Amino acid sequence: MSYTNDELNVRTTEEILKKNVYDLQEQLVNANRRVKSLADTLGNIIAMHKDIEYHLQGIEIYVHDIKELLDD
């Protein structure tokens, strides 16, 4: 009776470690994808925030000018 690793489906420590490393690499790739996506989204939000601030400053200037015209 022959008891080879193939017949018993027993993995060696090296095979287990290689699979663990591969799994960790896959998790890292997925995490990096998600971080990049979040960074892109954050960049878009920051750009929109700056645009909104710019427009609000313009509105404040208009309101100030209108108040000055009404006071005269």
Side-chain angles (χ1 to χ4, degrees):
M1 185 184 290
S2 171
Y3 290 104
T4 64
N5 285 349
D6 290 339
E7 291 174 0
L8 294 175
N9 289 327
V10 175
R11 295 187 300 172
T12 65
T13 302
E14 183 179 351
E15 291 171 330
I16 292 169
L17 290 174
K18 283 181 179 179
K19 181 172 181 345
N20 287 346
V21 167
Y22 175 80
D23 291 344
L24 288 172
Q25 287 172 332
E26 285 296 310
Q27 290 176 18
L28 184 58
V29 167
N30 289 334
N32 283 339
R33 255 188 238 129
R34 290 181 13 217
V35 167
K36 183 178 181 336
S37 175
L38 288 171
D40 291 345
T41 301
L42 183 58
N44 291 337
I45 291 170
I46 290 171
M48 286 188 285
H49 181 264
K50 287 180 180 180
D51 194 39
I52 290 169
E53 278 185 334
Y54 175 78
H55 289 294
L56 287 175
Q57 288 172 354
I59 291 170
E60 287 175 0
I61 292 169
Y62 288 134
V63 168
H64 179 263
D65 291 347
I66 291 170
K67 283 182 180 178
E68 282 186 354
L69 287 173
L70 292 175
D71 288 340
D72 289 343

